[in-house]
Amino acid sequence: MFLLFAMVIAALLLWYALEVFLLAFAGVLLAVFLHSLATFVCQYTGLGRRWSLLLVVICLLSIFGTALWFLAPNVAVQVDNLMETLPRAVEKLQQNVESYEWGRRVMEGLPKTGEMMPSGSRIFSTATGYLSSTAEWLSRLVIVLFVGLFLALEPKTYLKGVIHLIPMDKRERAREVFEQVGDDLQWWLIGKITEMIFIGLLTWAGLWFLGVPLALTLGILAALLIFIPNIGPLLALVPAALLALLESPATALYVIGFFTAIQTLESYVLTPLVQKKAVSLPPGLTIMVQVLMGVIGGGIGLILATPLLVVAVRATRMLYVEDVLGDETLNDPT
């Protein structure tokens, strides 16, 4: 009875503190990433762990600053052009659809493009909302950065503290689970970052070859959205196809075919290749968890849904399937 009561209380606390939990988990992901790089530097340079972490942070800041210096002005201009061009692309899509009888019937029930844009009386409130949302996301980013940095600086201290909350006879097994979950997250991040770089460059080159405007910005957008499996590539396709439609319907079809080829390559070649050492995630289960986390956690829940599933699958395999059911025959790539 007490255990059931404790589980209910824990569930309620998790529900009301969901955003705090998600930000903490994002910090853990960042810590795993920094810890992996620092360990690599430590092994190949002989530097101490703290010095290795400092070198990693300096290198990452240098890379980010250099990219910002060279790419930010061009990307900023392209983003402005994208925001100005997309409404025209949507209007052209509506015109093409309305050229058919079935299209006119569908469009009659949808609001016009002008009705979806903010009127003059709503511009101030809309701008205020955007500024508030931006400030909120920046504050979240600062929290994640500090949490990730402190966790990466002293990972054993925090792990030891959590282990001490577990009964003595279960601590060794708990340590094994934490280490395996850390390895899974590490390999998942390595694979995902590799995919982001490859898909971003490929998208930029392909859209540039097809003559689609703003190819650089669309490539960066595609790279970032790859972090969200299944849903991200579809979100990246929409602005690319709309901008291609301004060139010609044939160009839009080429872009759709190009993104389909990229998604096929990513799903059946790249992901299995780079995620060999990570836990295997069933696509159907991944989509369901993404929808669930998107509903209860918003944008940050959708972004973190897949790594959360990585943790849940590994913990379920080790703590329930192996320890409770005694089944150690489950097929596992690791």
Side-chain angles (χ1 to χ4, degrees):
M1 185 66 183
F2 174 77
L3 180 59
L4 178 61
F5 178 75
M7 291 176 63
V8 172
I9 295 299
L12 289 174
L13 288 175
L14 181 60
W15 175 263
Y16 286 106
L18 180 62
E19 183 173 349
V20 176
F21 168 76
L22 292 175
L23 291 177
F25 183 74
V28 170
L29 276 181
L30 177 59
V32 170
F33 175 66
L34 294 176
H35 175 71
S36 302
L37 293 179
T39 301
F40 177 82
V41 172
C42 186
Q43 290 176 346
Y44 286 91
T45 63
L47 292 173
R49 208 190 162 283
R50 291 196 173 188
W51 287 106
S52 298
L53 180 61
L54 178 61
L55 181 60
V56 165
V57 172
I58 292 175
C59 289
L60 290 176
L61 290 176
S62 301
I63 293 172
F64 179 77
T66 302
L68 198 64
W69 177 267
F70 287 103
L71 296 180
N74 191 18
V75 172
V77 172
Q78 290 198 9
V79 169
D80 289 338
N81 292 337
L82 181 65
M83 300 305 294
E84 294 176 0
T85 307
L86 279 180
R88 291 193 291 113
V90 173
E91 289 180 359
K92 184 168 184 178
L93 176 63
Q94 290 179 346
Q95 294 172 2
N96 290 340
V97 172
E98 288 175 350
S99 63
Y100 303 94
E101 178 62 28
W102 62 268
R104 287 192 291 271
R105 293 178 180 177
V106 171
M107 297 306 298
E108 286 176 358
L110 298 177
K112 300 297 183 183
T113 304
E115 298 175 3
M116 294 185 291
M117 301 300 292
S119 60
S121 61
R122 293 164 52 197
I123 290 178
F124 178 76
S125 60
T126 302
T128 303
Y130 286 149
L131 290 175
S132 175
S133 178
T134 302
E136 183 179 347
W137 277 98
L138 286 176
S139 64
R140 291 173 176 174
L141 179 61
V142 170
I143 293 172
V144 171
L145 289 175
F146 275 100
V147 170
L149 187 58
F150 283 119
L151 287 177
L153 192 61
E154 294 287 349
K156 292 183 179 179
T157 301
Y158 295 98
L159 179 59
K160 185 177 179 181
V162 174
I163 294 295
H164 274 288
L165 299 176
I166 299 171
M168 293 286 293
D169 60 329
K170 304 292 184 182
R171 288 183 181 179
E172 188 59 34
R173 181 56 170 170
R175 189 182 301 275
E176 293 177 4
V177 173
F178 279 120
E179 290 177 354
Q180 187 61 62
V181 166
D183 287 342
D184 285 341
L185 287 177
Q186 173 182 312
W187 285 109
W188 183 84
L189 280 171
I190 291 174
K192 190 54 62 177
I193 292 172
T194 302
E195 291 178 26
M196 291 172 67
I197 295 173
F198 181 82
I199 296 298
L201 292 174
L202 183 61
T203 301
W204 167 69
L207 294 180
W208 173 81
F209 179 78
L210 292 173
V212 178
L214 315 179
L216 176 60
T217 299
L218 293 174
I220 294 174
L221 180 63
L224 295 176
L225 289 175
I226 280 293
F227 195 84
I228 310 174
N230 304 309
I231 299 175
L234 295 178
L235 297 177
L237 168 62
V238 174
L242 288 175
L243 290 179
L245 186 63
L246 289 177
E247 301 299 314
S248 69
T251 304
L253 290 177
Y254 291 147
V255 168
I256 293 174
F258 175 64
F259 269 79
T260 302
I262 288 180
Q263 178 65 10
T264 303
L265 176 66
E266 189 258 337
S267 298
Y268 294 100
V269 178
L270 193 58
T271 297
L273 185 64
V274 300
Q275 297 284 4
K276 282 183 178 180
K277 294 190 178 183
V279 65
S280 178
L281 299 178
L285 180 61
T286 303
I287 294 174
M288 287 190 292
V289 171
Q290 287 176 326
V291 173
L292 175 63
M293 291 304 302
V295 170
I296 65 176
I300 189 171
L302 179 61
I303 292 172
L304 297 176
T306 307
L308 280 170
L309 182 59
V310 170
V311 175
V313 168
R314 175 59 68 186
T316 302
R317 286 181 177 179
M318 296 185 70
L319 297 177
Y320 180 71
V321 176
E322 294 180 9
D323 293 357
V324 177
L325 300 181
D327 183 2
E328 298 184 1
T329 63
L330 187 63
N331 185 28
D332 192 330
T334 61

